[in-house]
Structure formats: C-alpha cells, structure tokens
Amino acid sequence: MSSLESTLALSASGMQAQATRLRHVSENIANVDTPGYRRKTVPFESMSLPGDGLSQPSGVRSGAVLLDRKPLPQIYDPGHILADESGHYLGSNVELMVEIADAREAQRSYEANLKMFDQARQMSQSLIGLLRR
C-alpha cells in the first residue's frame, strides 16, 4: 500500500471512529433527562489496515460501547410516575457540559481527518495527472 493510500485509509478510519463517537454523544445529550439512562462512551482501538505490511498500528476503530458506571442520581419528585414511596426516582448520569465538550472534540478531530483525507486525495490526483503527461 502506498503512502498516500495509507494516509487515505488512516484518515478514513479516524473519521469513521469520530462519527461513531459523535453519534453516541448525541444520544447522551438527547437522553440527559431520561430517568435511569446511563451515559454511553466509545473507546478507540488501534488496528492494522489490510495490506499495509506494517507491524505498527496504522488505523483506529471504535470499540464496544461502554455504559458509565457512575451512580445514577436520586431525584426527589413525589409526583413523578417513577417515584418510589419516599418520592425519589433514578435520574440520568449524563452531564450536559461534558457531552458538549466531547461533541466539540469529536467534531474537530473529524474535521482534521477530513482535511488530511482531502489533501492526500489532491496529492494523488496531482500525481496521476503528472503520470498521464
């Protein structure tokens, strides 16, 4: 696999992983007020791309979705349909500010990978144009 192809594959794997992360962050934000909802996180794993022949990792992928094990907050609202006899129910452990920060980080990382992908694509097109002359 050529360097440009490796760069394209690496950038594409980064974009795919960040898109998955952003999808789960969006789900967390959408469920910030859902009783009993646990925050989802997505770890990244190194991977070797097919045909690169390198012993070092040359890509990234998202791993299995993990649920945040932080305790769910007890919310006092005796009128809530899920409230127990003491008037409490379990809320969500999603922190909106953390999710917004994660969304921005994922978006910026996605954009950086997209820029790298576009530059590698432009370079490969330039090389093909030179070879055709």
Side-chain angles (χ1 to χ4, degrees):
M1 187 182 281
S2 75
S3 295
L4 288 175
E5 288 173 334
S6 294
T7 302
L8 288 169
L10 178 61
S11 296
S13 73
M15 286 188 293
Q16 189 173 32
Q18 291 298 340
T20 300
R21 177 180 177 203
L22 194 52
R23 188 179 82 237
H24 290 293
V25 167
S26 299
E27 288 176 14
N28 290 341
I29 291 172
N31 287 291
V32 70
D33 292 324
T34 302
Y37 183 84
R38 291 195 177 273
R39 176 177 186 250
K40 295 178 183 177
T41 58
V42 181
F44 292 153
E45 302 169 349
S46 298
M47 65 177 200
S48 294
L49 298 171
D52 66 8
L54 300 174
S55 60
Q56 300 227 344
S58 56
V60 65
R61 66 175 167 231
S62 53
V65 175
L66 303 173
L67 297 179
D68 190 339
R69 301 311 305 168
K70 274 194 325 189
L72 297 174
Q74 294 267 341
I75 299 172
Y76 180 74
D77 183 1
H80 195 278
I81 194 164
L82 296 176
D84 59 14
E85 55 278 345
S86 69
H88 292 88
Y89 69 94
L90 295 177
S92 167
N93 66 357
V94 175
E95 295 179 38
L96 189 56
M97 294 309 289
V98 170
E99 300 305 319
I100 291 171
D102 283 354
R104 285 186 179 163
E105 182 182 345
Q107 179 183 2
R108 288 187 177 142
S109 181
Y110 183 93
E111 289 170 355
N113 279 297
L114 181 61
K115 185 131 182 110
M116 182 61 78
F117 185 90
D118 190 46
Q119 289 176 350
R121 183 186 54 80
Q122 288 175 5
M123 289 172 63
S124 65
Q125 286 177 341
S126 295
L127 287 175
I128 291 171
L130 288 174
L131 293 174
R132 288 186 181 167
R133 290 184 186 174

